[in-house]
Every structure is written in structure tokens, then in C-alpha cells.
Amino acid sequence: MPAAPAPSPFAAWRAWLDRRPALLLIFTTLVWGSNVVAARLAVGQVSPMMLTTARWSVACLALWLVARRQVVAAWPLLRPRWRYLTAMGVAGFTGFNALYYTAAHHTSAVNLAIIQGVVPVLVLLGAAAVFRLRVSALQALGVALTLAGVVVVAARGQWSVLRALDLNVGDVGVLAASVLYAGYTLGLRAKPAVSPLAFFAAVAGIAALASLPLLAWEAAAGDFVRPRAGGAAAGRAAAALPRAGPGDGAGRHRGGGAARRAPGRLSRPTRPTSCRRQCRR
């Protein structure tokens, strides 16, 4: 029998990386942090809806080069699920980014990063409510501490802010965006049986289309800001860095997260699962 062809250097590197989920988690955390920085750098350089449209348009162009064959092969499975894909793209991608980039105009990068840390908590609570996932005492303590931290940050450490409900509109926007992304994460449980790249490409295409009405609304309201040099750089960074794609990287390890698990008590190794979902943006 002829010898099997030697794997390409990229395939060998990918296989090496896939065996190291901890390294993937570190990388995705760094990448996610870059999205926070890009969102703040874009303020005054490009308007939020323009940045959202640019992000998903550029991402779609890149995905067309690398994933078009996978999308074509998966089309018979994707087409019947167009309602599901639309909901995932509009809420998890377009809606999240529109709220997130708008919030960046009203709050600090530190608040953006800290408040969005509520996403794993929302995923855990959603899994408990929808999928009857039992939450351990340690996980409940983590939920309480995370929520307390978010409240302190949103209230700027002042009880008077909470009493008067005088919250920063940017902080509220980040919380709303986090709710949308937590819903997207829980929705991955129903993902069609296609490759992660094909699924991501399909949802990204819907996100790009869904961003166009928001861009038109922004222009009609007189809030459109044509990308300047800094805005163009932020757009490229937002398109290239923030999300490795659902099901890629660390998310493939241990079955894909709490939202994908059958009802029952989480075992010890699965505690950080929802964090992996948050990192992949």
C-alpha cells in the first residue's frame, strides 16, 4: 500500500495546539481582551454600527476564502435551520456587537472587560433554568461573587447610585449585550451537525446582513462617522481577532460546554466550561 502523505506543517501545528486546551484558553483570553481595546480605540474614529458592519463584512470576506467549500457541503443541513441561524446571528453576533460598541462610547475599557464577565454566570443560570442543570454550592458561590463584583463596578462603588438607579448607560449596554451572548451560547446546544467553520461562516454572513439596517438607521439619525485611520485599524482588529468561531479551539474539548451537557450535576473538570464560551468572541 502506498504510504500516507505527510501532514502539512500547518496541520501538524494545529494538531499540536489541539492537544493543549489550556494554551488555547490563554490565547483566546488575550484575543478577547484585544476586542475591548479595539472597541475603546474606535470611539471618535468610527461609529458603532459602521464598526459592526465592517467587522462582519471583513470576517465574511476572510471566511469566503477558507470556508466556502465547507459551507457548500453543509448547505443541505444549514438551509432547513435558517430561522435558528438567523436568531443566532442577529442576537449573538450583530446585536451583541452593536450594543457592545455603543457602550464603549459611554464607559471605560475596564468596565467593559469586568462587566462582560457576567456572561459565564448568565450561561450557568440559563442552563440551570432551561436544561435543569444542577448547580453545586461552589458554583453558586462563584455566581454570587461575580454578580456582586458586577454590581459594585456598575454602581461605581457608591450605594447612592443603586438607590437612585443612576447607572451608566454604557454599563447597562454591556449587561444587555452579555444577556444576548449568553443566549447565543445556550443556543449552541441546538447547533446543526456541521463543521464549526461552516456554522460560523453561515452565522457570520447573517450577522453582516443584519447589521445593514442598523447602519442605515445610524446614518439617517446623523450619527454616522466615516472610518478614520484609527477607526479602520479598530475595524480590522475587531474582524480578525475577537472570535475563533463556535466549536473551534478550546470549545471542542470536554464536549463543548455546560450548555451542551445533558441535565445533571457538573463534575469538577467542567467548571470552567462557560468561561471557554465567553473567551471565544
Side-chain angles (χ1 to χ4, degrees):
M1 295 179 60
S8 66
F10 175 79
W13 175 82
R14 178 67 181 270
W16 178 87
L17 197 60
D18 281 349
R19 293 192 297 269
R20 290 160 176 82
L23 184 60
L24 285 170
L25 286 172
I26 293 172
F27 174 72
T28 50
T29 301
L30 293 174
V31 165
W32 182 252
S34 72
N35 190 35
V36 177
V37 177
R40 282 294 298 165
L41 289 177
V43 175
Q45 300 293 317
V46 60
S47 51
M49 302 310 143
M50 181 65 238
L51 181 57
T52 301
T53 301
R55 174 188 179 174
W56 291 114
S57 298
V58 173
C60 285
L61 290 175
L63 287 167
W64 173 255
L65 297 176
V66 300
R68 61 183 183 275
R69 291 187 178 87
Q70 294 188 38
V71 173
V72 170
W75 186 246
L77 295 175
L78 292 172
R79 184 177 179 180
R81 304 292 305 279
W82 68 268
R83 292 182 180 86
Y84 164 81
L85 296 172
T86 299
M88 295 290 276
V90 171
F93 286 5
T94 307
F96 171 83
N97 285 138
L99 286 170
Y100 193 80
Y101 294 145
T102 301
H105 285 66
H106 303 281
T107 191
S108 67
V110 172
N111 281 26
L112 285 173
I114 292 177
I115 295 176
Q116 73 179 353
V118 78
V119 171
V121 170
L122 295 175
V123 171
L124 185 62
L125 294 177
V130 177
F131 305 128
R132 301 291 185 251
L133 181 74
R134 287 182 291 176
V135 180
S136 69
L138 186 59
Q139 289 169 331
L141 177 61
V143 167
L145 291 176
T146 301
L147 291 177
V150 170
V151 169
V152 169
V153 171
R156 303 185 291 278
Q158 302 175 22
W159 289 112
S160 60
V161 173
L162 290 179
R163 287 197 299 268
L165 290 179
D166 183 23
L167 300 178
N168 184 307
V169 65
D171 295 341
V172 175
V174 179
L175 285 173
S178 299
V179 170
L180 289 181
Y181 197 77
Y184 165 84
T185 302
L186 292 169
L188 288 173
R189 182 184 179 93
K191 184 174 77 70
V194 299
S195 71
L197 195 57
F199 175 77
F200 179 54
V203 177
I206 293 171
L209 293 175
S211 70
L212 296 177
L214 296 178
L215 179 61
W217 168 77
E218 183 178 70
D223 296 327
F224 175 77
V225 176
R226 187 185 303 274
R228 302 185 177 95
R236 288 192 295 268
L241 293 177
R243 201 183 303 262
D248 260 357
R252 286 183 297 185
H253 298 275
R254 303 191 189 280
R260 289 179 167 276
R261 295 187 176 274
R265 193 177 188 86
L266 286 178
S267 60
R268 183 178 182 86
T270 62
R271 285 175 187 152
T273 306
S274 54
C275 294
R276 288 197 299 269
R277 289 294 187 196
Q278 183 216 355
C279 293
R280 266 188 299 107
R281 276 183 206 155

